[in-house]
Amino acid sequence: MQPLDPAEIRASFVNCSRGEAKSVTLPSDIPWDKRDFLGWRDAKAPGRAYLVVPHGDEVIGLSLRAAPSPKSRLRSNICAFCTTTHPLTDIALFTARLAGKAGRDGNTVGTYLCSDLACSAYLRGELKPSVPQPKETLSEEERVERMSEKISRFVARVLETR
């Protein structure tokens, strides 16, 4: 992903007000060259998360809400973006208000993702999930492409009414 400065990140948000975007706690020390998108949880408000992704020829930022993780470690689930298997405690339901009037009316879309939004790091082997992973025959490049397509479809759902 191309490096972005704080002003570019804040200006990219499409599903929150300018005031909300201004109050976002931004991450520091981002390894841009190892990320396909920028995703983080707000350290000051754990139920808030943010996703900034290249989408077509622009950069789109999404404000997300994270549902509390279940307490059970006996089951697992798969991240909708990177297809990494995690215990249920490491997967969260993230919802995003739709852009425009539909979002102001309270309409949302949601998906289950790695609770730390570190999909790029899991795909590249920088982080290891705590449960065994199914064997995949796709190369790292193909897995990154698959993840990019899934992210693009999620962003397109948020932008549908914009």
Side-chain angles (χ1 to χ4, degrees):
M1 182 169 181
Q2 293 297 317
L4 301 169
D5 65 41
E8 291 172 312
I9 293 171
R10 291 180 197 287
S12 73
F13 287 100
V14 297
N15 67 341
C16 64
S17 69
R18 282 190 215 127
E20 289 170 321
K22 200 175 202 179
S23 68
V24 168
T25 304
L26 298 176
S28 58
D29 300 326
I30 302 162
W32 292 104
D33 60 326
K34 296 180 180 183
R35 297 295 170 256
D36 304 290
F37 67 91
L38 178 59
W40 74 100
R41 300 282 292 259
D42 191 326
K44 295 179 182 176
R48 291 185 188 160
Y50 306 97
L51 201 60
V52 177
V53 300
H55 185 72
D57 58 351
E58 60 184 330
V59 174
I60 300 291
L62 301 177
S63 173
L64 307 171
R65 296 279 184 228
S69 295
K71 302 294 184 229
S72 173
R73 292 192 65 85
L74 299 177
R75 296 184 183 190
S76 59
N77 202 347
I78 297 175
C79 172
F81 284 176
C82 67
T83 67
T84 300
T85 303
H86 290 283
L88 280 181
T89 55
D90 294 339
I91 290 283
L93 172 63
F94 288 92
T95 57
R97 276 185 292 181
L98 295 179
K101 182 179 181 327
R104 289 189 298 275
D105 289 343
N107 295 306
T108 62
V109 293
T111 192
Y112 288 91
L113 304 174
C114 300
S115 62
D116 57 5
L117 297 171
C119 298
S120 294
Y122 288 113
L123 280 184
R124 288 179 171 73
E126 297 168 25
L127 292 175
K128 298 287 184 201
S130 61
V131 297
Q133 299 299 299
K135 179 71 175 154
E136 279 204 90
T137 57
L138 298 177
S139 68
E140 179 181 300
E141 183 178 299
E142 291 169 322
R143 290 192 319 261
V144 168
E145 179 63 29
R146 177 182 62 194
M147 180 180 69
S148 296
E149 289 171 8
K150 290 178 178 187
I151 293 169
S152 183
R153 283 195 301 269
F154 181 74
V155 171
R157 288 175 57 204
V158 173
L159 298 175
E160 276 180 0
T161 59
R162 184 171 81 155

